[in-house]
Amino acid sequence: MSHATAPPAPPLAPGTRPAPGYEVLAHLARTGWLDLYDAWSEERDCRCVVKVVRPDRRHEEGLGDRLLREGRWLRSFTHPHLVRAYETFESPQPLVVLETLTGETLTHLVHRLRRRPAAEDVALLGVHLCSAIHYLHGQGLLHLDLKPSNVVVDCGHAKVLDLSVARPPGAAPAGVGTFCYLAPEQARGGLLTAAADVWGIGVTLYEVAAGDLPFDCGEGTGSRTGDVTTGDVTTGRDDWYPQLEDTAPSIRSRRRLPRDLATAIDGCLQPDPDARPAVRELAAAFEAVLPWQHRHVAPTLPP
């Protein structure tokens, strides 16, 4: 006799107190293993974001530790292009409190705009991403999951989110990250270096500039993700990655851009990690595209 699988537990209701001093205002999103809530901080007298492991996955070993590790990193890091964490709680459940960001993710921005962002705005975004990634690398971490949904932009100022799959450089299992955005070496598994995040910068800017990814990942596979604790790919075929079969077409085949900007983006997407530019070199290339009076200043992305 077969038994139906129990449905996932519903999100916490408004008014619930997930930790002392915090009250749930609304459920924001549910990922494969997390719930995110709009919450009120009594101590700060402001809104914040509360991140917790989904109720139906709290029994899984390692997920709570993974969340708390991310929260501790974000509490200790201080950078204008990284989201901040305020607090972490180990009980009554593993929980991280993050700042509330205004603006919208690049994913929403790309789909909302009727025209593609100006080349100078793409270059400025590249400068901000390079700044955040350079800082993370200085802290001994690779981000490994740069993508438009992990970047929030407000009035031209970008902030990078989500260190849930971050790890130090070195050996890693295949598939850690998000399917369509993985560097080839992430897809294969093995030694990961700063070049994997350079790929992440390039593929993110490619999608923002062109409105689409450089690879056809197949319907419904864009959110396929790997698990940092096991390396398992959760959906779809785990032995097929377009990044391992094809070279990314030049961004200039999809969109007219200044030659130097296009060359920088294309350089990020070289299959060989050693052929990609270093983060400092890449940042200099993006900044060179900006008018001199706009360098180190945040112009507004188009409405």
Side-chain angles (χ1 to χ4, degrees):
M1 180 177 178
S2 61
H3 295 276
T5 302
L12 299 177
T16 303
R17 292 182 172 270
Y22 294 95
E23 180 180 342
V24 169
L25 300 177
H27 183 243
L28 294 175
R30 172 164 281 185
T31 72
W33 63 287
L34 291 169
D35 278 317
L36 281 80
Y37 295 94
D38 182 16
W40 186 259
S41 168
E42 295 175 352
E43 178 184 359
R44 296 172 185 81
D45 198 31
C46 71
R47 295 168 82 160
C48 57
V49 172
V50 166
K51 194 173 183 179
V52 298
V53 178
R54 286 171 43 160
D56 53 318
R57 299 201 62 181
R58 285 181 198 156
H59 66 282
E60 296 183 34
E61 185 178 357
L63 292 185
D65 291 340
R66 176 176 166 183
L67 175 62
L68 291 173
R69 180 181 61 182
E70 178 190 13
R72 293 184 188 113
W73 281 334
L74 290 175
R75 281 189 67 191
S76 65
F77 295 165
T78 304
H79 192 276
H81 299 298
L82 279 177
V83 66
R84 293 178 299 164
Y86 294 140
E87 285 189 271
T88 60
F89 291 86
E90 295 188 24
S91 63
Q93 60 185 314
L95 178 150
V96 173
V97 182
L98 302 167
E99 65 174 323
T100 294
L101 298 178
T102 56
E104 58 189 321
T105 67
L106 286 176
T107 297
H108 289 125
L109 187 69
V110 166
H111 290 115
R112 180 175 64 79
L113 292 179
R114 295 183 179 179
R115 58 189 176 92
R116 300 273 63 83
E120 288 157 2
D121 290 321
V122 174
L124 181 68
L125 174 61
V127 171
H128 290 182
L129 296 182
C130 286
S131 179
I133 292 305
H134 172 73
Y135 177 82
L136 284 177
H137 291 178
Q139 304 302 312
L141 288 177
L142 305 178
H143 187 282
L144 300 179
D145 203 20
L146 273 176
K147 55 186 178 181
S149 62
N150 277 344
V151 181
V152 168
V153 177
D154 182 30
C155 296
H157 185 90
K159 284 203 175 188
V160 174
L161 317 176
D162 197 352
L163 300 185
S164 62
V165 300
R167 59 169 59 211
V176 172
T178 301
F179 178 56
C180 281
Y181 299 91
L182 299 176
E185 61 271 26
Q186 286 177 263
R188 284 191 300 266
L191 181 65
L192 300 183
T193 67
D197 281 341
V198 170
W199 176 284
I201 293 170
V203 75
T204 298
L205 294 180
Y206 194 111
E207 184 170 359
V208 170
D212 201 1
L213 285 159
F215 302 100
D216 180 6
C217 296
E219 185 178 357
T221 59
S223 61
R224 197 174 90 178
T225 59
D227 190 311
V228 71
T229 58
T230 66
D232 294 337
V233 176
T234 56
T235 63
R237 285 180 52 194
D238 60 4
D239 59 348
W240 175 80
Y241 294 89
Q243 305 93 309
L244 297 178
E245 297 183 355
D246 300 308
T247 299
S250 171
I251 185 66
R252 298 187 83 191
S253 68
R254 307 279 183 89
R255 156 94 190 262
R256 181 177 295 178
L257 289 175
R259 183 177 297 276
D260 289 348
L261 177 57
T263 298
I265 294 173
D266 289 345
C268 294
L269 300 179
Q270 294 300 307
D272 180 359
D274 293 335
R276 298 174 206 150
V279 175
R280 281 187 177 276
E281 177 188 350
L282 187 60
F286 291 142
E287 190 155 321
V289 175
L290 301 175
W292 69 268
Q293 67 269 31
H294 289 163
R295 295 178 188 178
H296 307 297
V297 178
T300 303
L301 285 167

